[in-house]
Amino acid sequence: MSSFSPEVMSNPRAERVKAVARLANRKGREATGEFLVEGPQAVREALKAHLLDDNLLQAVYVVGGFLESHDEFAELLEQAQVPTRIVTGEVLHAMADTQTPQGILAVAAIAQPQLSEVLSSKPKLIAVLCRVQDPGNAGTVLRAADAAGADAVILTKGSVDIYNPKAVRSTVGSLFHLPVLNNIEFDHLIEAAKTTGSQVLAADGYGALNLDSLQDAAVLRAHHGGAEEDQGLEGQPVLEAPTLWLFGNEGQGLDEHEKQAADHAVAVPLYGVAESLNVGTAATVCLYASARAQHASKSS
C-alpha cells in the first residue's frame, strides 16, 4: 500500500506547516518529542534507520519533481511506509530551517536511549562532549565517532541540543547510525562508566601523556600479542581498552572538575606553530587512535 497522499500541500500558512516549522525551536521539540531532518543525505539515512525502527519517522514532505531526479527515494519511501506529502516549494520553505531547502524534509521522533542500556552493552569506545556548544563542532565529533566505529556519543548538560536543526544538518546522517544521549549529568555519567571498568581519558592540550606515545605502545603490543590488561611499566592507559574520551568546550576546554574525573589527561602533539586544535579535529584524532588500536588488538 502506498504511503503517499494524493493531495498536494500548497498553503504555507496551514496549521500543519506551522507545526513542522516550530520544531526548529527547542520548545517545539520538547512539546512534541520530534525534530526536523532536512536535505537528501540526512533524510536518506533517516529512512534507512526507519527500516530498522519503524517508530523513527513520523512524516516526509517532498516538493514535486524531487523524486523524479532522486530515484532511490521513491523506493525507500515505499519500503519505509512513512506518511509522505507532496508540497509546493513555498510550503517547504515555510517548514524548513534553512533559507534554501533541498527539496525534502522529514519529521522524526527524538530517540531516548538510556545510559544504563548503553553502558550495559559493554561499549569499547564512547565520545563524550562536555559543554560543547557549537552545532557544527558537535556534528563533526558525532561524524568522527560514527566513522571510527564508536558505540555511542554522549552530550553532557550545557552542550548544544543535538536535535537543533543546525546540529542535525552538521551530522550529515550520522545521527541515525549510533546511540546519541543528550543532556546527561556529567557526574552521573562518570560514576556509571567507572562501574563498567571503562577507562576515562580527557583530551587536554596540557595533558601529561602524549597520544603519539600511547599509539606507539599499542603498535608494539599488537606486534607482540600484548594483552589489553597490560597497563605498561609506567601505568599508562592502554588504547585497546574500553574507553570514554572526554572532549571539552570550544573556548575553555575541559574544566578542572572534568579533568580530575578522568583517569588520565592525554595531549595531541602539535608539530607546527598552531596554538591548539579545534575540538572536532582533536576528537577525530583521539577516536581514531583508540579505534585503530582496538582493531589491531582484535587481529593480533
Side-chain angles (χ1 to χ4, degrees):
M1 181 178 178
S2 175
S3 60
F4 287 84
S5 169
E7 180 184 355
V8 177
M9 292 178 61
S10 59
N11 181 5
R13 290 172 292 280
E15 183 52 40
R16 178 178 294 197
V17 176
K18 294 178 182 178
V20 173
R22 283 195 288 269
L23 299 179
N25 300 315
R26 182 186 288 269
K27 287 184 178 179
R29 294 192 295 274
E30 290 177 346
T32 62
E34 298 172 341
F35 68 103
L36 281 176
V37 184
E38 298 187 54
Q41 176 67 17
V43 175
R44 181 188 297 111
E45 297 310 306
L47 283 166
K48 291 177 182 177
H50 184 84
L51 294 175
L52 302 176
D53 175 9
D54 61 8
N55 293 314
L56 175 60
L57 288 179
Q58 310 302 300
V60 174
Y61 301 92
V62 57
V63 295
F66 177 88
L67 297 179
E68 285 75 6
S69 58
H70 297 77
D71 295 340
E72 74 275 25
F73 278 92
E75 182 177 352
L76 272 174
L77 286 166
E78 286 292 340
Q79 292 175 347
Q81 287 296 296
V82 181
T84 302
R85 300 291 298 271
I86 303 297
V87 301
T88 63
E90 189 178 11
V91 166
L92 194 74
H93 187 272
M95 288 178 165
D97 177 67
T98 54
Q99 288 299 311
T100 54
Q102 299 177 57
I104 190 169
L105 66 76
V107 173
I110 292 175
Q112 297 180 325
Q114 298 299 306
L115 180 61
S116 58
E117 294 175 0
V118 170
L119 295 179
S120 66
S121 67
K122 298 182 179 180
K124 294 285 289 181
L125 184 59
I126 292 178
V128 181
L129 284 71
C130 300
R131 299 171 296 105
V132 172
Q133 296 173 349
D134 180 78
N137 285 334
T140 298
V141 176
L142 204 155
R143 290 173 65 191
D146 179 19
D151 299 287
V153 173
I154 298 174
L155 294 93
T156 68
K157 287 183 181 295
S159 294
V160 65
D161 178 3
I162 196 63
Y163 297 105
N164 170 315
K166 291 181 180 179
V168 173
R169 290 196 298 274
S170 72
T171 73
V172 197
S174 285
L175 178 62
F176 303 106
H177 296 166
L178 73 170
V180 179
L181 287 73
N182 217 20
N183 203 34
I184 300 299
E185 180 66 45
F186 179 78
D187 289 341
H188 175 59
L189 165 64
I190 297 300
E191 181 180 356
K194 290 192 174 182
T195 63
T196 69
S198 295
Q199 65 184 358
V200 179
L201 301 182
D204 175 21
Y206 300 98
L209 298 177
N210 182 300
L211 186 62
D212 275 2
S213 298
L214 299 184
Q215 288 181 289
D216 291 344
V219 170
L220 288 175
R221 282 191 298 275
H223 285 178
H224 294 91
E228 290 183 13
E229 293 78 8
D230 176 14
Q231 294 295 307
L233 296 178
E234 299 178 9
Q236 292 187 348
V238 172
L239 289 180
E240 303 94 302
T243 302
L244 276 77
W245 273 104
L246 307 182
F247 305 110
N249 173 271
E250 293 87 349
Q252 304 165 355
L254 295 166
D255 65 25
E256 286 306 313
H257 178 67
E258 291 160 347
K259 292 178 188 177
Q260 291 173 11
D263 297 310
H264 301 277
V266 181
V268 177
L270 301 177
Y271 299 113
V273 295
E275 181 181 355
S276 62
L277 291 175
N278 171 279
V279 63
T281 303
T284 301
V285 173
C286 293
L287 291 169
Y288 263 91
S290 287
R292 184 182 182 191
Q294 291 173 357
H295 281 270
S297 175
K298 288 180 183 178
S299 60
S300 62

